[in-house]
């Protein structure tokens, strides 16, 4: 029995290591290619470790394109998008989970049912709305959809339902208003889930390509994914430049995940609890 357990454990870790190595191969190829000179790109056999590593491709990314500007645009949009999502989603979730009003459950079900609607279906109506509001080619057109985020409400409602009503009632007895109960009691107890939502929302906004492409026609306002697609058209054969740009775009996401990994895991477990 013990022998079978050990064999099973060894097999599990062996398969996990193999899968992990396979998953890392594309990333390793990206790093290797970004450090190669143009002449070494098509060398056979492949140079996984460049014989003459160089940072020329990274310098070329910034010299041939206003990359810092696009990074700044993406940061502004992604941070604002995330903050608005957290505020609007948490307020709506608190109302659905802890405030009693007529047809609350029915309204929540209808609200969450919109998650089933493909994004492509809403693009044209949303574009018309933004055009009527004269928001085309502004950051607002990309950020405003963050107000309506059914997934954020779904995630936070599950967590807020686990908060004992006694905590909220005690605050109300002390004279706290609904807003103070929400802000000073409910939100701190939802911190892990809020952290998870912040990470996933930031990643989604940072990597979003289609909607910013439709809304932002001014090159000075374009986001990083759009800049990378432009770079791909300009340097279609210079894979070292393309890989350097792609790796630069990954840096904020990797840093956020590394520093917030603990909160991300706790939030996913907490958000999965249904009260």
């Amino acid at each position: 029995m013990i022998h079978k357990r050990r064999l099973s454990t060894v097999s599990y870790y062996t398969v996990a290591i193999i899968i992990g190595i396979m998953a890392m191969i594309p990333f390793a190829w990206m790093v290797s290619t970004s450090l190669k000179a143009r002449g070494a790109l098509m060398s056979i056999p492949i140079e996984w470790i460049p014989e003459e590593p160089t940072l020329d491709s990274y310098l070329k990314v910034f010299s041939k394109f206003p990359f810092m500007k696009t990074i700044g645009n993406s940061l502004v949009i992604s941070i604002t998008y995330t903050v608005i999502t957290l505020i609007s989603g948490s307020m709506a979730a608190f109302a659905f989970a802890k405030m009693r009003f007529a047809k609350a459950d029915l309204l929540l079900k209808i609200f969450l049912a919109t998650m089933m609607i493909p994004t492509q279906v809403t693009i044209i109506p949303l574009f018309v709305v933004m055009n009527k509001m004269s928001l085309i080619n502004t950051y607002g057109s990309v950020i405003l959809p963050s107000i309506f985020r059914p997934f954020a409400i779904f995630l936070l409602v599950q967590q807020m339902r686990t908060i004992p009503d006694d905590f909220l009632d005690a605050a109300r007895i002390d004279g706290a208003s609904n807003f103070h109960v929400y802000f000073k009691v409910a939100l701190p107890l939802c911190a892990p889930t809020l952290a998870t939502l912040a990470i996933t929302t930031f990643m989604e906004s940072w990597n979003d390509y289609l909607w910013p492409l439709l809304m932002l026609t001014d090159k000075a306002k374009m986001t990083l994914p759009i800049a990378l697609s432009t770079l791909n058209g300009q340097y279609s054969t210079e894979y070292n430049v393309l890989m350097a740009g792609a790796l630069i775009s990954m840096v904020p996401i990797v840093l956020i995940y590394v520093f917030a990994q603990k909160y991300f895991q706790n939030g996913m477990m907490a958000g999965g609890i249904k009260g």
Side-chain angles (χ1 to χ4, degrees), residues 40-243:
L41 292 176
M42 301 300 177
S43 61
I44 299 176
I46 297 175
E47 296 180 6
W48 286 99
I49 301 177
E51 294 182 0
E52 298 180 0
T54 176
L55 297 176
D56 288 346
S57 56
Y58 291 91
L59 298 176
K60 199 167 188 178
V61 166
F62 288 96
S63 63
K64 295 291 185 179
F65 198 88
F67 231 63
M68 290 303 298
K69 176 64 175 176
T70 60
I71 291 175
N73 293 340
S74 289
L75 283 174
V76 169
I77 291 174
S78 299
I79 292 174
T80 308
Y81 191 99
T82 301
V83 170
I84 293 177
T85 296
L86 292 178
I87 294 173
S88 62
S90 60
M91 284 185 172
F94 179 77
F96 283 124
K98 294 300 180 182
M99 297 180 68
R100 299 177 181 85
F101 56 93
K103 305 297 182 181
D105 290 338
L106 177 61
L107 184 59
L108 178 61
K109 290 177 182 178
I110 295 174
F111 208 75
L112 297 182
T114 60
M115 295 173 61
M116 302 297 106
I117 302 176
T119 305
Q120 294 80 358
V121 174
T122 61
I123 283 181
I124 294 178
L126 195 55
F127 179 87
V128 172
V129 170
M130 294 300 172
N131 189 36
K132 293 290 185 181
M133 297 174 65
S134 300
L135 291 176
I136 301 297
N137 199 32
T138 65
Y139 292 149
S141 61
V142 182
I143 295 170
L144 278 179
S146 62
I147 297 175
F148 182 81
R149 295 276 296 163
F151 175 75
I153 297 172
F154 169 75
L155 192 65
L156 290 170
V157 161
Q158 307 309 312
Q159 176 62 19
M160 288 194 177
R161 282 176 174 172
T162 65
I163 300 175
D165 291 335
D166 294 343
F167 291 179
L168 309 184
D169 293 338
R172 292 189 177 101
I173 291 173
D174 290 338
S177 63
N178 283 331
F179 178 78
H180 282 85
V181 172
Y182 151 77
F183 186 73
K184 294 189 176 182
V185 180
L187 282 189
L189 293 174
C190 295
T193 306
L194 287 171
T196 301
L197 181 60
I199 295 170
T200 55
T201 303
F202 184 90
M203 291 173 62
E204 180 182 347
S205 178
W206 181 268
N207 294 321
D208 192 15
Y209 173 77
L210 181 58
W211 185 243
L213 179 65
L214 294 175
M215 292 293 101
L216 304 176
T217 58
D218 187 355
K219 289 185 177 181
K221 296 179 180 179
M222 69 171 58
T223 58
L224 191 55
I226 302 175
L228 287 175
S229 68
T230 305
L231 195 65
N232 186 26
Q234 189 174 359
Y235 302 103
S236 57
T237 58
E238 296 188 56
Y239 296 107
N240 52 348
V241 179
L242 295 178
M243 294 303 103

